[in-house]
Amino acid sequence: MCGIAGYIGPRNAVEVVFDQLKRLEYRGYDSAGVAFPVNGHIEVLKRAGKLTELQKLIGEEPRDSRIAIAHSRWATHGGPTNENAHPHYDAYERIAIIHNGIIENYLELREELLAKGHKFRSQTDTEVAAHVIGEEYAGGISLEEAVRKGVKRLRGAYALVVLSQSEEGKIVAARNASPLVLGVGSGENLLASDIPALLPYTREVVILEEDSIATLTTAGIQVMDLDGRPKPLEPIHIEWDIAAAERGGYEHFMLKEIHEQPEVLRQCIAGRVDDKLEIRLDQVFSEHVWTEIDRVNIIACGTAYNAGLMGKHLFEKLLRLPTDVYYSSEFRYGDPVLSPRSLAIFVSQSGETADTLAALRLCKSRRIRTLGIVNVIGSSIARECDRTIFTQAGPEISVASTKAYTAQVTVLTLLAMYIAQVQEMPGVRVEEAVQELVGLAERAEVCLKLEDQMIGLAEKYKDMPLCFFLGRGADANVALEGALKLKEIAYIPTEESPAGEMKHGPLALVQPGVIAMFGSTDREVRDKVVSSMKEIQARGGTVIAIVTDDDTVTEKAADEIVRIPGSKLEFLSALLTIIPMQLFAYHVARLRGCEIDQPRNLAKSVTVE
Ligand code: F6R
């Protein structure tokens, strides 16, 4: 989710690519760099921190070049330091590379290259990719050929861009899974990770297809596939204004982030599941630690707390490992009983939430093992936890969290399966579960196709006075998150509880006009959920049920049926119900004219108590 920029043409290329990076600033980043040729050598200037740091470095002497590439990094492999910032050289400093994505086999490749005598200056997967391509290039072939051969050795997601000292008149780029767009100008050409960085220069844009290599010169752009066969160039004309382009053409960041979830699910497991469907989280704690842990405490706020509840469900059901979930604000003042063999897990998108950070410090003062599940690398929680697993969801800009939630639950699922794998638990079919997790992104794509149906439901029910969110088991946990979305962006009161609790009080609130959104993905309790639906309907309420595609029971009971693709691991079906709920909340809020990305009274990162 890093920013990529590149320019070749008559203007001052260093100025152009810097301007492009500024236009990508809204996405968030923690370091930046630029590369351009000077006297037969590729000069690389890079700095951790904001673009102003890079600007100071660039400003130290006059910089003028007709060709340049630049990058703003959002750290994934290795912290946000000068060394880890892009561009990266190959072993011979003949080429410089920038990259967005994750090279899954970078550790194997790094070992292979180290054995051949390569030396690395950073901890990044990108530098490994640079050395791989540099090695091919040393064979005396063209830059395009070297990139084509090099990327065949890489596994994972990448958009990468290469500049060479010996072929100064071209930029070569390759793409697999991570976005890359090309800007077609007259006598000048550009590339970027996102359309807003192209718009001041051209509105003719080519979305580079998967598994393609592009060569940019002042004369034009050539695209080929990985076997070297030319591909046609099909530019599209972009009408959006710059602000709309930042949102990828979506009306709000929230909608963009909802739609990013399939990609986020892929990024989240990238490099963590190998070809044999084994989970690789070896860097977290050594294997023996997992056999010592007798209890888990998950500590978080808001959406991250809701993700923690899903973790508890899985840890207890799959691992039989006692797990409690605490609100950070309650934990820190609650004088918690902490077993010395327990593990405290801190879930946080921002990594800066004040209550969660204070709870972490409390655990550390009691010498409890701590593990972070965090999105922002270099954040306080990520730095202070003994170990951290990053959710790799990319910057989340909308205040209401969406993609961070699915990523947090995915990491908790990976972790639970990893513990089962390490402990060789009888009865847990890890491989089968991992297979289901790998297929989750595709099923998330199918859920996004429900948008038109959710718009229809939003139009019909946008004036509801109250909305219940109900379910059982994992569905009850997702119901909490669905309710949080609706209340925070559409300002509609919600009532959320396990469906079985309804008759112990909340049922008194049901009257005509009230809506009840049910997640019902657990075959074993389908009949019970149907009974709860009947209780709502008997009192004049309307039931919307989100069910899996094999369910023929619930459809007879609900007023509205939303079907999602089921998974053999029911827990994952429950997780996917959040996508139609997010879409429902979003469209209700939009139809009610609410300010979606920045709801009233709320902030993205709650760094005060
Ligand atoms: C809700 C939301 C908040 C955050 C909470 C924790 O949509 O975004 O409830 O989940 O403030 O924030 P992090 O995850 O940054 O610790």
mmCIF file of all heavy atoms in Angstrom, residues 325-363:
data_model
loop_
_atom_site.group_PDB
_atom_site.id
_atom_site.type_symbol
_atom_site.label_atom_id
_atom_site.label_comp_id
_atom_site.label_asym_id
_atom_site.label_seq_id
_atom_site.Cartn_x
_atom_site.Cartn_y
_atom_site.Cartn_z
ATOM 1 N N VAL A 325 -11.690 -11.523 26.897
ATOM 2 C CA VAL A 325 -11.511 -10.300 26.108
ATOM 3 C C VAL A 325 -11.894 -9.128 27.003
ATOM 4 O O VAL A 325 -12.947 -9.148 27.647
ATOM 5 C CB VAL A 325 -12.407 -10.304 24.848
ATOM 6 C CG1 VAL A 325 -12.037 -9.146 23.927
ATOM 7 C CG2 VAL A 325 -12.274 -11.614 24.095
ATOM 8 N N TYR A 326 -11.021 -8.145 27.060
ATOM 9 C CA TYR A 326 -11.255 -6.978 27.922
ATOM 10 C C TYR A 326 -11.288 -5.703 27.090
ATOM 11 O O TYR A 326 -10.499 -5.557 26.147
ATOM 12 C CB TYR A 326 -10.100 -6.798 28.915
ATOM 13 C CG TYR A 326 -10.017 -7.846 29.981
ATOM 14 C CD1 TYR A 326 -9.269 -9.001 29.787
ATOM 15 C CD2 TYR A 326 -10.665 -7.678 31.205
ATOM 16 C CE1 TYR A 326 -9.168 -9.962 30.774
ATOM 17 C CE2 TYR A 326 -10.571 -8.637 32.197
ATOM 18 C CZ TYR A 326 -9.827 -9.773 31.977
ATOM 19 O OH TYR A 326 -9.734 -10.715 32.957
ATOM 20 N N TYR A 327 -12.144 -4.773 27.492
ATOM 21 C CA TYR A 327 -11.996 -3.405 26.995
ATOM 22 C C TYR A 327 -10.738 -2.851 27.658
ATOM 23 O O TYR A 327 -10.576 -2.976 28.891
ATOM 24 C CB TYR A 327 -13.181 -2.537 27.416
ATOM 25 C CG TYR A 327 -14.465 -2.892 26.698
ATOM 26 C CD1 TYR A 327 -15.536 -3.454 27.385
ATOM 27 C CD2 TYR A 327 -14.606 -2.637 25.338
ATOM 28 C CE1 TYR A 327 -16.719 -3.770 26.730
ATOM 29 C CE2 TYR A 327 -15.787 -2.951 24.677
ATOM 30 C CZ TYR A 327 -16.835 -3.519 25.361
ATOM 31 O OH TYR A 327 -17.988 -3.827 24.704
ATOM 32 N N SER A 328 -9.890 -2.213 26.884
ATOM 33 C CA SER A 328 -8.635 -1.702 27.445
ATOM 34 C C SER A 328 -8.900 -0.780 28.629
ATOM 35 O O SER A 328 -8.194 -0.816 29.645
ATOM 36 C CB SER A 328 -7.871 -0.910 26.384
ATOM 37 O OG SER A 328 -7.804 -1.625 25.185
ATOM 38 N N SER A 329 -9.936 0.069 28.500
ATOM 39 C CA SER A 329 -10.211 1.055 29.548
ATOM 40 C C SER A 329 -10.620 0.381 30.848
ATOM 41 O O SER A 329 -10.340 0.893 31.945
ATOM 42 C CB SER A 329 -11.325 2.004 29.077
ATOM 43 O OG SER A 329 -12.439 1.245 28.649
ATOM 44 N N GLU A 330 -11.269 -0.763 30.759
ATOM 45 C CA GLU A 330 -11.674 -1.496 31.954
ATOM 46 C C GLU A 330 -10.493 -2.281 32.522
ATOM 47 O O GLU A 330 -10.296 -2.361 33.725
ATOM 48 C CB GLU A 330 -12.810 -2.475 31.609
ATOM 49 C CG GLU A 330 -14.131 -1.800 31.359
ATOM 50 C CD GLU A 330 -14.648 -1.093 32.605
ATOM 51 O OE1 GLU A 330 -14.836 -1.771 33.633
ATOM 52 O OE2 GLU A 330 -14.836 0.138 32.558
ATOM 53 N N PHE A 331 -9.719 -2.834 31.625
ATOM 54 C CA PHE A 331 -8.604 -3.675 32.045
ATOM 55 C C PHE A 331 -7.620 -2.883 32.910
ATOM 56 O O PHE A 331 -7.188 -3.317 33.955
ATOM 57 C CB PHE A 331 -7.897 -4.219 30.795
ATOM 58 C CG PHE A 331 -6.761 -5.156 31.082
ATOM 59 C CD1 PHE A 331 -6.996 -6.511 31.258
ATOM 60 C CD2 PHE A 331 -5.454 -4.686 31.169
ATOM 61 C CE1 PHE A 331 -5.938 -7.377 31.514
ATOM 62 C CE2 PHE A 331 -4.406 -5.543 31.427
ATOM 63 C CZ PHE A 331 -4.653 -6.889 31.596
ATOM 64 N N ARG A 332 -7.302 -1.670 32.434
ATOM 65 C CA ARG A 332 -6.221 -0.934 33.106
ATOM 66 C C ARG A 332 -6.589 -0.529 34.523
ATOM 67 O O ARG A 332 -5.715 -0.360 35.366
ATOM 68 C CB ARG A 332 -5.793 0.287 32.277
ATOM 69 C CG ARG A 332 -6.875 1.312 32.067
ATOM 70 C CD ARG A 332 -6.438 2.394 31.119
ATOM 71 N NE ARG A 332 -5.466 3.302 31.710
ATOM 72 C CZ ARG A 332 -5.187 4.495 31.211
ATOM 73 N NH1 ARG A 332 -5.778 4.906 30.101
ATOM 74 N NH2 ARG A 332 -4.320 5.270 31.810
ATOM 75 N N TYR A 333 -7.887 -0.364 34.796
ATOM 76 C CA TYR A 333 -8.283 0.017 36.157
ATOM 77 C C TYR A 333 -8.945 -1.142 36.898
ATOM 78 O O TYR A 333 -9.438 -0.972 38.001
ATOM 79 C CB TYR A 333 -9.255 1.203 36.107
ATOM 80 C CG TYR A 333 -8.598 2.443 35.539
ATOM 81 C CD1 TYR A 333 -9.018 2.980 34.334
ATOM 82 C CD2 TYR A 333 -7.547 3.062 36.216
ATOM 83 C CE1 TYR A 333 -8.412 4.102 33.801
ATOM 84 C CE2 TYR A 333 -6.928 4.188 35.680
ATOM 85 C CZ TYR A 333 -7.361 4.696 34.482
ATOM 86 O OH TYR A 333 -6.741 5.806 33.958
ATOM 87 N N GLY A 334 -8.961 -2.320 36.281
ATOM 88 C CA GLY A 334 -9.766 -3.418 36.833
ATOM 89 C C GLY A 334 -9.014 -4.368 37.746
ATOM 90 O O GLY A 334 -9.575 -5.374 38.150
ATOM 91 N N ASP A 335 -7.761 -4.104 38.042
ATOM 92 C CA ASP A 335 -6.954 -4.982 38.877
ATOM 93 C C ASP A 335 -7.068 -6.439 38.393
ATOM 94 O O ASP A 335 -7.473 -7.334 39.143
ATOM 95 C CB ASP A 335 -7.416 -4.867 40.349
ATOM 96 C CG ASP A 335 -6.396 -5.530 41.276
ATOM 97 O OD1 ASP A 335 -5.253 -5.783 40.819
ATOM 98 O OD2 ASP A 335 -6.750 -5.817 42.421
ATOM 99 N N PRO A 336 -6.719 -6.695 37.135
ATOM 100 C CA PRO A 336 -6.942 -8.028 36.573
ATOM 101 C C PRO A 336 -6.060 -9.107 37.213
ATOM 102 O O PRO A 336 -4.943 -8.823 37.645
ATOM 103 C CB PRO A 336 -6.553 -7.847 35.106
ATOM 104 C CG PRO A 336 -5.651 -6.674 35.090
ATOM 105 C CD PRO A 336 -6.075 -5.782 36.194
ATOM 106 N N VAL A 337 -6.610 -10.321 37.298
ATOM 107 C CA VAL A 337 -5.827 -11.462 37.787
ATOM 108 C C VAL A 337 -5.046 -11.996 36.582
ATOM 109 O O VAL A 337 -5.643 -12.381 35.583
ATOM 110 C CB VAL A 337 -6.773 -12.576 38.305
ATOM 111 C CG1 VAL A 337 -5.965 -13.769 38.817
ATOM 112 C CG2 VAL A 337 -7.693 -12.015 39.379
ATOM 113 N N LEU A 338 -3.726 -11.997 36.684
ATOM 114 C CA LEU A 338 -2.926 -12.393 35.516
ATOM 115 C C LEU A 338 -2.021 -13.570 35.863
ATOM 116 O O LEU A 338 -1.149 -13.452 36.728
ATOM 117 C CB LEU A 338 -2.078 -11.217 35.042
ATOM 118 C CG LEU A 338 -2.857 -9.991 34.545
ATOM 119 C CD1 LEU A 338 -1.912 -8.836 34.241
ATOM 120 C CD2 LEU A 338 -3.668 -10.338 33.310
ATOM 121 N N SER A 339 -2.239 -14.677 35.192
ATOM 122 C CA SER A 339 -1.377 -15.840 35.425
ATOM 123 C C SER A 339 -0.022 -15.577 34.770
ATOM 124 O O SER A 339 0.039 -15.026 33.666
ATOM 125 C CB SER A 339 -2.057 -17.078 34.821
ATOM 126 O OG SER A 339 -1.111 -17.876 34.156
ATOM 127 N N PRO A 340 1.079 -15.972 35.448
ATOM 128 C CA PRO A 340 2.402 -15.727 34.844
ATOM 129 C C PRO A 340 2.588 -16.474 33.526
ATOM 130 O O PRO A 340 3.437 -16.123 32.723
ATOM 131 C CB PRO A 340 3.384 -16.238 35.903
ATOM 132 C CG PRO A 340 2.583 -16.970 36.924
ATOM 133 C CD PRO A 340 1.148 -16.612 36.765
ATOM 134 N N ARG A 341 1.756 -17.505 33.292
ATOM 135 C CA ARG A 341 1.887 -18.255 32.036
ATOM 136 C C ARG A 341 0.901 -17.762 30.975
ATOM 137 O O ARG A 341 0.721 -18.393 29.938
ATOM 138 C CB ARG A 341 1.664 -19.748 32.299
ATOM 139 C CG ARG A 341 2.845 -20.361 33.063
ATOM 140 C CD ARG A 341 2.575 -21.795 33.453
ATOM 141 N NE ARG A 341 2.270 -22.626 32.295
ATOM 142 C CZ ARG A 341 1.688 -23.813 32.372
ATOM 143 N NH1 ARG A 341 1.320 -24.293 33.553
ATOM 144 N NH2 ARG A 341 1.460 -24.521 31.295
ATOM 145 N N SER A 342 0.275 -16.636 31.260
ATOM 146 C CA SER A 342 -0.712 -16.147 30.288
ATOM 147 C C SER A 342 -0.032 -15.317 29.196
ATOM 148 O O SER A 342 1.107 -14.875 29.338
ATOM 149 C CB SER A 342 -1.784 -15.313 30.993
ATOM 150 O OG SER A 342 -1.212 -14.140 31.520
ATOM 151 N N LEU A 343 -0.774 -15.123 28.130
ATOM 152 C CA LEU A 343 -0.323 -14.251 27.041
ATOM 153 C C LEU A 343 -1.336 -13.130 26.911
ATOM 154 O O LEU A 343 -2.538 -13.383 26.878
ATOM 155 C CB LEU A 343 -0.268 -15.047 25.719
ATOM 156 C CG LEU A 343 -0.047 -14.216 24.460
ATOM 157 C CD1 LEU A 343 1.391 -13.685 24.391
ATOM 158 C CD2 LEU A 343 -0.335 -15.040 23.196
ATOM 159 N N ALA A 344 -0.855 -11.899 26.853
ATOM 160 C CA ALA A 344 -1.769 -10.761 26.620
ATOM 161 C C ALA A 344 -1.622 -10.318 25.168
ATOM 162 O O ALA A 344 -0.510 -10.033 24.708
ATOM 163 C CB ALA A 344 -1.420 -9.619 27.559
ATOM 164 N N ILE A 345 -2.755 -10.298 24.450
ATOM 165 C CA ILE A 345 -2.737 -9.880 23.041
ATOM 166 C C ILE A 345 -3.406 -8.512 22.929
ATOM 167 O O ILE A 345 -4.533 -8.324 23.402
ATOM 168 C CB ILE A 345 -3.493 -10.892 22.149
ATOM 169 C CG1 ILE A 345 -2.854 -12.282 22.258
ATOM 170 C CG2 ILE A 345 -3.504 -10.430 20.695
ATOM 171 C CD1 ILE A 345 -3.507 -13.349 21.365
ATOM 172 N N PHE A 346 -2.730 -7.557 22.323
ATOM 173 C CA PHE A 346 -3.253 -6.195 22.159
ATOM 174 C C PHE A 346 -3.587 -5.985 20.692
ATOM 175 O O PHE A 346 -2.705 -6.078 19.844
ATOM 176 C CB PHE A 346 -2.210 -5.183 22.648
ATOM 177 C CG PHE A 346 -1.939 -5.371 24.105
ATOM 178 C CD1 PHE A 346 -0.987 -6.299 24.525
ATOM 179 C CD2 PHE A 346 -2.681 -4.704 25.051
ATOM 180 C CE1 PHE A 346 -0.780 -6.545 25.866
ATOM 181 C CE2 PHE A 346 -2.477 -4.944 26.400
ATOM 182 C CZ PHE A 346 -1.528 -5.870 26.813
ATOM 183 N N VAL A 347 -4.880 -5.728 20.442
ATOM 184 C CA VAL A 347 -5.309 -5.559 19.047
ATOM 185 C C VAL A 347 -5.562 -4.069 18.816
ATOM 186 O O VAL A 347 -6.305 -3.434 19.568
ATOM 187 C CB VAL A 347 -6.605 -6.364 18.759
ATOM 188 C CG1 VAL A 347 -6.938 -6.306 17.267
ATOM 189 C CG2 VAL A 347 -6.459 -7.810 19.209
ATOM 190 N N SER A 348 -4.930 -3.522 17.794
ATOM 191 C CA SER A 348 -5.118 -2.087 17.529
ATOM 192 C C SER A 348 -4.766 -1.757 16.086
ATOM 193 O O SER A 348 -3.705 -2.161 15.600
ATOM 194 C CB SER A 348 -4.232 -1.266 18.477
ATOM 195 O OG SER A 348 -4.332 0.095 18.177
ATOM 196 N N GLN A 349 -5.652 -1.066 15.414
ATOM 197 C CA GLN A 349 -5.351 -0.616 14.055
ATOM 198 C C GLN A 349 -4.228 0.420 14.110
ATOM 199 O O GLN A 349 -3.196 0.259 13.481
ATOM 200 C CB GLN A 349 -6.611 -0.013 13.422
ATOM 201 C CG GLN A 349 -6.520 0.307 11.944
ATOM 202 C CD GLN A 349 -5.727 1.560 11.615
ATOM 203 O OE1 GLN A 349 -4.821 1.528 10.767
ATOM 204 N NE2 GLN A 349 -6.006 2.659 12.273
ATOM 205 N N SER A 350 -4.452 1.473 14.883
ATOM 206 C CA SER A 350 -3.508 2.602 14.886
ATOM 207 C C SER A 350 -2.221 2.286 15.642
ATOM 208 O O SER A 350 -1.175 2.855 15.356
ATOM 209 C CB SER A 350 -4.167 3.813 15.539
ATOM 210 O OG SER A 350 -4.471 3.509 16.894
ATOM 211 N N GLY A 351 -2.336 1.416 16.643
ATOM 212 C CA GLY A 351 -1.184 1.144 17.504
ATOM 213 C C GLY A 351 -0.906 2.285 18.472
ATOM 214 O O GLY A 351 0.129 2.329 19.132
ATOM 215 N N GLU A 352 -1.838 3.246 18.560
ATOM 216 C CA GLU A 352 -1.609 4.421 19.414
ATOM 217 C C GLU A 352 -2.730 4.645 20.424
ATOM 218 O O GLU A 352 -2.697 5.645 21.145
ATOM 219 C CB GLU A 352 -1.471 5.692 18.560
ATOM 220 C CG GLU A 352 -0.324 5.685 17.566
ATOM 221 C CD GLU A 352 1.059 5.651 18.213
ATOM 222 O OE1 GLU A 352 1.153 5.867 19.446
ATOM 223 O OE2 GLU A 352 2.030 5.393 17.486
ATOM 224 N N THR A 353 -3.733 3.790 20.473
ATOM 225 C CA THR A 353 -4.883 4.024 21.354
ATOM 226 C C THR A 353 -4.420 4.068 22.818
ATOM 227 O O THR A 353 -3.806 3.114 23.316
ATOM 228 C CB THR A 353 -5.951 2.938 21.123
ATOM 229 O OG1 THR A 353 -6.303 2.993 19.747
ATOM 230 C CG2 THR A 353 -7.177 3.149 21.971
ATOM 231 N N ALA A 354 -4.733 5.185 23.488
ATOM 232 C CA ALA A 354 -4.145 5.457 24.805
ATOM 233 C C ALA A 354 -4.480 4.364 25.822
ATOM 234 O O ALA A 354 -3.599 3.892 26.553
ATOM 235 C CB ALA A 354 -4.629 6.810 25.306
ATOM 236 N N ASP A 355 -5.734 3.940 25.868
ATOM 237 C CA ASP A 355 -6.122 2.930 26.863
ATOM 238 C C ASP A 355 -5.425 1.594 26.601
ATOM 239 O O ASP A 355 -5.028 0.893 27.530
ATOM 240 C CB ASP A 355 -7.643 2.733 26.845
ATOM 241 C CG ASP A 355 -8.371 3.865 27.570
ATOM 242 O OD1 ASP A 355 -7.840 4.346 28.593
ATOM 243 O OD2 ASP A 355 -9.450 4.268 27.115
ATOM 244 N N THR A 356 -5.305 1.238 25.332
ATOM 245 C CA THR A 356 -4.674 -0.043 24.994
ATOM 246 C C THR A 356 -3.180 0.013 25.334
ATOM 247 O O THR A 356 -2.609 -0.944 25.877
ATOM 248 C CB THR A 356 -4.909 -0.376 23.497
ATOM 249 O OG1 THR A 356 -6.304 -0.248 23.225
ATOM 250 C CG2 THR A 356 -4.466 -1.781 23.149
ATOM 251 N N LEU A 357 -2.586 1.158 25.060
ATOM 252 C CA LEU A 357 -1.162 1.328 25.375
ATOM 253 C C LEU A 357 -0.934 1.254 26.887
ATOM 254 O O LEU A 357 0.010 0.607 27.357
ATOM 255 C CB LEU A 357 -0.698 2.680 24.818
ATOM 256 C CG LEU A 357 0.787 2.975 24.833
ATOM 257 C CD1 LEU A 357 1.569 1.916 24.080
ATOM 258 C CD2 LEU A 357 1.047 4.352 24.193
ATOM 259 N N ALA A 358 -1.842 1.872 27.662
ATOM 260 C CA ALA A 358 -1.700 1.845 29.123
ATOM 261 C C ALA A 358 -1.868 0.411 29.640
ATOM 262 O O ALA A 358 -1.130 -0.030 30.535
ATOM 263 C CB ALA A 358 -2.741 2.768 29.760
ATOM 264 N N ALA A 359 -2.812 -0.338 29.044
ATOM 265 C CA ALA A 359 -3.023 -1.732 29.461
ATOM 266 C C ALA A 359 -1.786 -2.571 29.135
ATOM 267 O O ALA A 359 -1.381 -3.438 29.917
ATOM 268 C CB ALA A 359 -4.258 -2.298 28.746
ATOM 269 N N LEU A 360 -1.179 -2.269 28.006
ATOM 270 C CA LEU A 360 0.052 -2.985 27.617
ATOM 271 C C LEU A 360 1.158 -2.728 28.642
ATOM 272 O O LEU A 360 1.851 -3.648 29.083
ATOM 273 C CB LEU A 360 0.465 -2.517 26.208
ATOM 274 C CG LEU A 360 1.891 -2.803 25.747
ATOM 275 C CD1 LEU A 360 2.168 -4.297 25.696
ATOM 276 C CD2 LEU A 360 2.137 -2.212 24.355
ATOM 277 N N ARG A 361 1.284 -1.458 29.031
ATOM 278 C CA ARG A 361 2.356 -1.121 29.985
ATOM 279 C C ARG A 361 2.103 -1.796 31.333
ATOM 280 O O ARG A 361 3.041 -2.227 32.010
ATOM 281 C CB ARG A 361 2.479 0.393 30.124
ATOM 282 C CG ARG A 361 3.068 0.965 28.832
ATOM 283 C CD ARG A 361 3.187 2.464 28.818
ATOM 284 N NE ARG A 361 3.778 2.897 27.556
ATOM 285 C CZ ARG A 361 3.644 4.097 27.030
ATOM 286 N NH1 ARG A 361 2.932 5.021 27.656
ATOM 287 N NH2 ARG A 361 4.220 4.395 25.886
ATOM 288 N N LEU A 362 0.824 -1.927 31.688
ATOM 289 C CA LEU A 362 0.483 -2.614 32.939
ATOM 290 C C LEU A 362 0.939 -4.076 32.863
ATOM 291 O O LEU A 362 1.558 -4.600 33.799
ATOM 292 C CB LEU A 362 -1.035 -2.529 33.170
ATOM 293 C CG LEU A 362 -1.580 -3.342 34.341
ATOM 294 C CD1 LEU A 362 -1.162 -2.702 35.662
ATOM 295 C CD2 LEU A 362 -3.106 -3.423 34.285
ATOM 296 N N CYS A 363 0.646 -4.733 31.750
ATOM 297 C CA CYS A 363 1.049 -6.140 31.593
ATOM 298 C C CYS A 363 2.560 -6.274 31.629
ATOM 299 O O CYS A 363 3.099 -7.203 32.214
ATOM 300 C CB CYS A 363 0.513 -6.719 30.284
ATOM 301 S SG CYS A 363 -1.230 -7.052 30.361
#
